[in-house]
Amino acid sequence: MTPFADRLAHTIAATGPMPVARWMTLCNANYYETRDPFGVGGDFTTAPEISQMFGELIGAWFVEMWRRAGSPPNARLVELGPGRGTMMADMLRSTTAAKWTPAVDFVETSPLLRSAQAARVPGAMWHDNLEHVPDDAPLFLVANEFFDALPVRQFERVVSGWRERMVAADDGGFIPALAPSDATALVPPRLAAATVGSVVEASPASTAIAAEIGARLARHGGAALIVDYGYAGPATGDTLQAIRAHAFADPIADPGEADLTAHVDFGALAAAAGVAAFGPVGQGRFLRALGIDARASMLKARATGPQAVAIDAAVARLTGDTAMGTLFKVLALSPDRKPIAGFE
Ligand code: SAH
């Protein structure tokens, strides 16, 4: 056992089984604190790490939204969970070209990733959570593969009702368990009659952040773009997964050594935000509407043969139906209902 796994086993021995959400919180904090997980040599590859086109197109989308808001000079550009800072660096090329030089705020808990972000976006400010970002100006907020890393509670249908899923420990390691008390009141009524063994997830951590984003948009204006894999719930399904070295792993074996994620419930985020919501639409459709094909042609015009092949491969990966094009989805939040680029 790693020292971290040992500590978890001691915690469970002392205080009893912990809810899956608590397990996810502790494991992911340890995971992101101790490594840069991205890319071929890491555990997973995200869209901004595939191609600069991703961040540039999203940057152009924000330029359009900023202009629509009257080009407010004090606007904040905020990113939740910026990873290596690659996407923001690419976005800033688009904003700079449009003569918008926003204050950049990063919400990031990992000190290791903060230093990677500082190397790419030297002028940024860092915060532990969105509440700490000054609430004084129009908010332009982006989050790519951030919400999937936030903890979910899981409820399992049993014969007598619903129980929260927990993680317990025995001599051999960690094992799944169910809380003794009934949790039917926490399951959406229209799912309550699901068959025995069904799982329903809820992410209070995610909906709290969505509510904060919505409140800020309503107060000061702006726009938010949330990109992730997920569904428009409520729905049943156990989506908790562990990814290690680009393959699925067991979410309760080797705690803190794999990326733990759950699919994002875009319906729940939109409802919690309480402002106008657009989508979710597939990432492929969104990027094509933003002009990824024209952007690729421009890049290819000044590329070598192998570079051109790589650009085509990146477009296919970001937009293809069997790659990221439909599994990944895009949700926009806005203080008003005027149509938005990419969601027509
Ligand atoms: N957006 C980046 C990274 C995605 S990985 C990309 O697309 O490449 C998830 C990111 O969220 C990491 O930067 C991780 O450190 C950060 N993160 C995870 N949980 C967090 C939390 N609770 N608060 C703030 N940041 C968090």
Side-chain angles (χ1 to χ4, degrees), residues 24-45:
M24 221 178 144
T25 302
L26 297 174
C27 291
N28 270 351
N30 183 76
Y31 176 77
Y32 282 106
E33 259 161 37
T34 53
R35 76 209 68 210
D36 175 335
F38 308 105
V40 182
D43 291 321
F44 59 98
T45 303

Side-chain angles (χ1 to χ4, degrees), residues 119-133:
R120 283 182 179 74
V121 186
M125 298 276 288
W126 281 265
H127 312 273
D128 283 332
N129 53 53
L130 180 58
E131 278 78 29
H132 290 170
V133 176

Side-chain angles (χ1 to χ4, degrees), residues 25 28-29 31-33 35 37-38 44-49 54 79-87 107-111 113-114 117 127-130 142-151 205 209 227 259:
T25 302
N28 270 351
Y31 176 77
Y32 282 106
E33 259 161 37
R35 76 209 68 210
F38 308 105
F44 59 98
T45 303
T46 57
E49 302 298 334
F54 187 76
E79 183 173 359
L80 308 180
R84 286 179 174 164
T86 308
M87 179 163 79
V107 174
E108 174 61 65
T109 39
S110 159
L113 291 175
R114 279 188 181 197
Q117 293 152 19
H127 312 273
D128 283 332
N129 53 53
L130 180 58
V142 67
N144 185 63
E145 287 205 48
F146 168 75
F147 284 96
D148 66 73
L150 298 186
I209 294 172
V227 187
D259 181 41

Side-chain angles (χ1 to χ4, degrees), residues 37-127:
F38 308 105
V40 182
D43 291 321
F44 59 98
T45 303
T46 57
E49 302 298 334
I50 291 172
S51 167
Q52 68 187 73
M53 290 183 284
F54 187 76
E56 288 170 355
L57 290 167
I58 286 179
W61 186 88
F62 275 102
V63 166
E64 198 177 319
M65 297 305 290
W66 174 70
R67 287 191 173 137
R68 217 171 80 154
S71 308
N74 61 338
R76 290 184 177 278
L77 190 53
V78 177
E79 183 173 359
L80 308 180
R84 286 179 174 164
T86 308
M87 179 163 79
M88 184 56 77
D90 294 336
M91 288 172 66
L92 288 174
R93 272 200 301 286
S94 297
T95 62
T96 303
K99 302 208 160 43
W100 177 26
T101 46
V104 173
D105 293 287
F106 282 153
V107 174
E108 174 61 65
T109 39
S110 159
L112 190 86
L113 291 175
R114 279 188 181 197
S115 57
Q117 293 152 19
R120 283 182 179 74
V121 186
M125 298 276 288
W126 281 265
H127 312 273

